[in-house]
Amino acid sequence: QVQLVESGGGLVQPGGSLRLSCAASGRIFSINTMGWYRQAPGKERELVASETSLRYTNYVDSVKGRFTISRDNAKNTVYLQMNSLKPEDTAVYYCYTRIATMLGVEYDYWGQGTQVTVSS
C-alpha cells in the first residue's frame, strides 16, 4: 500500500505564491511519474504538471512560466511551486504518482487533495 500526503494549500491574493508538497510512503519499489492535477468547481480534472523519472516535465499551457514542478527522489516527494497566481488557478489540487513494482506492473495513486484559493 502507498500513501500520498499533501500539504501547502491555502488562501493567497492574486499575484502571490504557494508551494505544494506531496510525500509518498509505503511499499515503493520505483516511482515513475509524479505530478499534480487540479479540479475547479464545475470543471473536469486536468493535469497541471508532471515529471518522469528521467526528469522530463510537462505543463498545461495555462501555467507555463508560472509554475515549476520538482522532485526529491531521496524523499519520494514532489513539489509544485506556484508563482503569479491568478483567480482561475483556484481549485483542489491532487498529487499523483505512478509506481512500478519489482515485476514492472504499474499502479496509480492519488492524494486526498488540497484546496488552493486565489482571491483578494
Side-chain angles (χ1 to χ4, degrees), residues 94-109:
Y94 297 91
C95 175
Y96 157 81
T97 185
R98 174 162 291 177
I99 293 175
T101 68
M102 291 181 63
L103 298 178
V105 180
E106 294 182 326
Y107 295 92
D108 294 340
Y109 296 91

Side-chain angles (χ1 to χ4, degrees), residues 1 9 40 50 60 65 68-69 71 83 85 91-92 95 99 104 107 114 120:
Q1 211 38 319
S50 64
V60 66
T68 303
I69 190 170
R71 286 171 59 167
N83 298 329
L85 282 161
V92 178
C95 175
I99 293 175
Y107 295 92
T114 185
S120 56

Side-chain angles (χ1 to χ4, degrees), residues 1-18:
Q1 211 38 319
V2 174
Q3 297 80 38
L4 299 179
V5 178
E6 302 160 347
S7 61
L11 173 65
V12 64
Q13 292 185 345
S17 298
L18 283 175

Side-chain angles (χ1 to χ4, degrees), residues 18-116:
L18 283 175
R19 188 191 194 209
L20 305 183
S21 300
C22 174
S25 62
R27 300 183 66 178
I28 298 172
F29 176 71
S30 176
I31 297 179
N32 291 342
T33 300
M34 298 191 82
W36 296 90
Y37 282 71
R38 67 185 179 187
Q39 187 166 20
K43 295 187 177 181
E44 294 186 354
R45 188 175 295 191
E46 67 171 353
L47 174 66
V48 178
S50 64
E51 182 170 336
T52 69
S53 58
L54 298 179
R55 302 293 187 180
Y56 175 80
T57 58
N58 183 40
Y59 296 91
V60 66
D61 286 345
S62 61
V63 308
K64 287 180 180 178
R66 300 188 297 122
F67 290 11
T68 303
I69 190 170
S70 60
R71 286 171 59 167
D72 184 337
N73 290 330
K75 297 181 179 180
N76 291 334
T77 299
V78 63
Y79 305 96
L80 185 67
Q81 179 65 44
M82 304 185 293
N83 298 329
S84 302
L85 282 161
K86 304 176 181 180
E88 50 264 42
D89 294 318
T90 296
V92 178
Y93 285 70
Y94 297 91
C95 175
Y96 157 81
T97 185
R98 174 162 291 177
I99 293 175
T101 68
M102 291 181 63
L103 298 178
V105 180
E106 294 182 326
Y107 295 92
D108 294 340
Y109 296 91
W110 294 87
Q112 77 283 1
T114 185
Q115 178 70 46
V116 172

